[in-house]
Amino acid sequence: MKFTGTDSYVATDDLTVAVNAAVALQRPLLVKGEPGTGKTELAKQVADALKLPMLEWHIKSTTKAQQGLYEYDAVSRLRDSQLGDERVHDVKNYIRKGKLWQAFEAEQKSLLLIDEIDKADIEFPNDLLQELDKMEFHVYETGETVEAVNRPVVIITSNNEKELPDAFLRRCFFHYIRFPDMDTMRKIVEVHHPGIKESLLTQALTQFYEVREQSGLKKKPSTSEVLDWLKLLLAEDLSAEDLKSDATSALPRLHGALLKNEQDVHLFERLAFMARSQR
């Protein structure tokens, strides 16, 4: 089982090494990086390339680790007991299997994505240490121990919004997805917008990286945002000359696809005003 990227996902050499190392070590792959750099998409592409069924566990601020194992619906059992339902005699009828349980009992090896783990409470990663390490957990209500039939490939993503515990980090293989350089970005764009004119691509990416490198920017535009921006440029049938003719304005054409808050828009408006004042 070797991951080398796919036709629809450009994976750098260091990223493919990280994926294959995590698979070989049978450890979770912890992927960090800016939002929009393709961390979630990576898991989908790895599952596709290795021909593994995929389970997705999207983490929210209210998510508890126990939900990934199972949940016991005591309220439904109490209601059924009051109604005299025969189901009440078997506690298993009230156990809801979580994503980890589903991955553990899958008949074939699967891929489990734990997406945006840094959204949860700081104790969330620690609460999963034992289960991810030993690939088993105990169900107290039934007394059974659930063990992984086939150890799943686990990919965990983080936007680096908060630090993760050292004990958790020790059990993971870590990779940070750096923002793509110009050459890599060209390859990514070609996958999503094949046949785009070289002159338009060069001018657009030049403007895009100038925007990203502007000091004082609150939120730098990401890979997904430049792809959206290029899609709009193509839809509007704009050319490289159209982008150049707008160079007197610090704001790029259709900037709403790149700049996502008023602070950054005002920053570029001030730059444009200063540039006009100096002429």
Side-chain angles (χ1 to χ4, degrees):
M1 297 174 69
K2 289 286 184 180
F3 176 69
T4 57
T6 67
D7 293 339
S8 58
Y9 189 89
V10 177
T12 57
D13 291 341
D14 58 341
L15 179 55
T16 58
V17 167
V19 171
N20 291 320
V23 172
L25 292 171
Q26 295 188 328
R27 288 193 176 276
L29 172 63
L30 174 61
V31 185
K32 288 188 177 183
E34 293 180 29
T37 49
K39 300 183 296 296
T40 302
E41 185 62 25
L42 169 67
K44 297 176 181 178
Q45 296 297 329
V46 171
D48 184 55
L50 302 183
K51 294 180 171 54
L52 301 175
M54 180 174 169
L55 294 165
E56 301 180 49
W57 186 15
H58 299 286
I59 307 304
K60 302 177 181 179
S61 59
T62 56
T63 304
K64 302 299 180 185
Q66 181 65 31
Q67 293 171 305
L69 307 178
Y70 69 92
E71 292 182 276
Y72 170 53
D73 191 352
V75 174
S76 292
R77 194 180 189 194
L78 175 60
R79 184 189 64 239
D80 288 349
S81 69
Q82 293 170 338
L83 297 173
D85 195 320
E86 287 298 318
R87 296 174 70 250
V88 75
H89 300 297
D90 187 353
V91 69
K92 290 183 179 180
N93 290 323
Y94 305 93
I95 300 291
R96 297 177 181 174
K97 298 177 181 179
K99 296 296 183 181
L100 265 76
W101 190 332
Q102 294 173 37
F104 285 4
E105 72 174 5
E107 293 183 359
Q108 68 178 101
K109 194 177 188 71
S110 60
L111 185 146
L112 173 64
L113 167 65
I114 304 177
D115 200 26
E116 299 188 333
I117 194 172
D118 52 327
K119 280 187 176 180
D121 183 86
I122 190 62
E123 291 303 318
F124 180 91
N126 280 334
D127 291 342
L128 288 177
L129 289 180
Q130 196 79 352
E131 290 76 14
L132 290 177
D133 194 25
K134 293 191 174 183
M135 287 288 160
E136 65 176 42
F137 63 90
H138 186 71
V139 183
Y140 296 99
E141 288 78 7
T142 64
E144 66 181 310
T145 297
V146 177
E147 298 181 29
V149 177
N150 294 291
R151 192 179 184 103
V153 174
V154 180
I155 295 182
I156 303 169
T157 70
S158 169
N159 288 327
N160 232 1
E161 292 182 4
K162 64 170 69 110
E163 289 297 319
L164 299 173
D166 289 344
F168 179 78
L169 295 175
R170 282 198 303 272
R171 288 165 168 82
C172 298
F173 191 94
F174 172 77
H175 181 74
Y176 184 85
I177 296 183
R178 295 180 178 85
F179 195 82
D181 57 25
M182 182 81 81
D183 290 338
T184 304
M185 187 64 81
R186 283 177 176 273
K187 295 176 183 176
I188 294 172
V189 171
E190 183 60 32
V191 167
H192 293 270
H193 303 297
I196 187 172
K197 290 181 180 178
E198 178 63 28
S199 57
L200 174 61
L201 178 58
T202 299
Q203 183 62 31
L205 289 185
T206 298
Q207 287 192 6
F208 170 72
Y209 279 97
E210 286 175 352
V211 169
R212 268 190 62 88
E213 292 164 10
Q214 178 60 51
S215 61
L217 205 61
K218 184 177 181 180
K219 182 195 176 302
K220 295 182 178 182
S222 67
T223 304
S224 63
E225 286 158 343
V226 73
L227 293 175
D228 286 345
W229 184 51
L230 286 167
K231 185 177 181 179
L232 286 175
L233 297 181
L234 292 171
E236 294 292 325
D237 198 24
L238 297 177
S239 65
E241 287 68 30
D242 292 325
L243 297 185
K244 289 177 183 176
S245 67
D246 212 32
T248 52
S249 170
L251 281 168
R253 286 283 189 94
L254 301 167
H255 62 269
L258 298 176
L259 304 175
K260 298 301 178 72
N261 61 71
E262 64 277 10
Q263 177 179 315
D264 290 342
V265 173
H266 291 160
L267 170 64
F268 279 90
E269 287 175 340
R270 288 196 300 273
L271 291 173
F273 176 76
M274 291 169 61
R276 288 194 295 269
S277 301
Q278 292 172 0
R279 285 203 300 271

